[in-house]
Amino acid sequence: MLMLLSIIACIVFIFIASYHLQKFTKEKYGYSIFSIGGMGASFLGAVALVFAYNYYHQGLRLNMVVALIFGVLPFVGMFIRDARRTSITVAITALILRFTISALFILIIYWYFFMRPDPKERAARIL
């Protein structure tokens, strides 16, 4: 139970930090740092990094390198774009938060499809 509460607290902290960073950059720089397109690109980059991890464990080095390049490129591109429009500190913070949110989405999707108990098994346990 304590583990679940700490996970929820971390998720809430990440979203509060993202909200305040978004609000700060919108007021000071007039730039929306967390857009839907940017979050989509970072999610695709994180998915490519998951594929790179999978290729590494399969021993497919060339596929791993290609997936790593495709996984890192969106983050580097968004970092450069953010650093030009805001300060370097804000760009680094946004990079870390984007990666964390993308990894969190991937973990939630993984849990939903692979770790969730089967409804039939749950009903059998209740009876």
Side-chain angles (χ1 to χ4, degrees):
M1 184 66 179
L2 187 60
M3 182 67 110
L4 181 64
L5 288 175
S6 64
I7 290 171
I8 292 171
C10 287
I11 291 170
V12 168
F13 174 75
I14 289 167
F15 283 114
I16 288 173
S18 300
Y19 170 75
H20 285 292
L21 185 66
Q22 172 73 13
K23 188 175 151 186
F24 172 75
T25 56
K26 196 72 163 170
E27 289 174 1
K28 186 167 183 182
Y29 301 104
Y31 172 63
S32 178
I33 202 144
F34 291 111
S35 63
I36 292 177
M39 289 307 296
S42 77
F43 180 74
L44 291 177
V47 168
L49 291 175
V50 170
F51 276 103
Y53 176 77
N54 189 21
Y55 290 144
Y56 173 75
H57 282 291
Q58 291 177 2
L60 303 169
R61 302 291 183 217
L62 181 62
N63 293 356
M64 179 197 69
V65 170
V66 170
L68 265 174
I69 290 170
F70 282 125
V72 171
L73 273 178
F75 291 109
V76 171
M78 286 183 291
F79 174 75
I80 292 170
R81 184 188 70 183
D82 293 341
R84 286 183 181 167
R85 296 183 180 178
T86 64
S87 68
I88 192 80
T89 309
V90 171
I92 291 171
T93 307
L95 174 73
I96 292 169
L97 283 173
R98 276 191 192 115
F99 181 76
T100 305
I101 291 169
S102 298
L104 206 75
F105 281 144
I106 289 173
L107 287 174
I108 289 169
I109 291 169
Y110 179 77
W111 173 82
Y112 184 77
F113 286 112
F114 298 113
M115 302 295 287
R116 200 174 58 150
D118 188 28
K120 292 177 185 176
E121 291 176 12
R122 199 173 13 178
R125 268 191 271 146
I126 292 172
L127 295 176

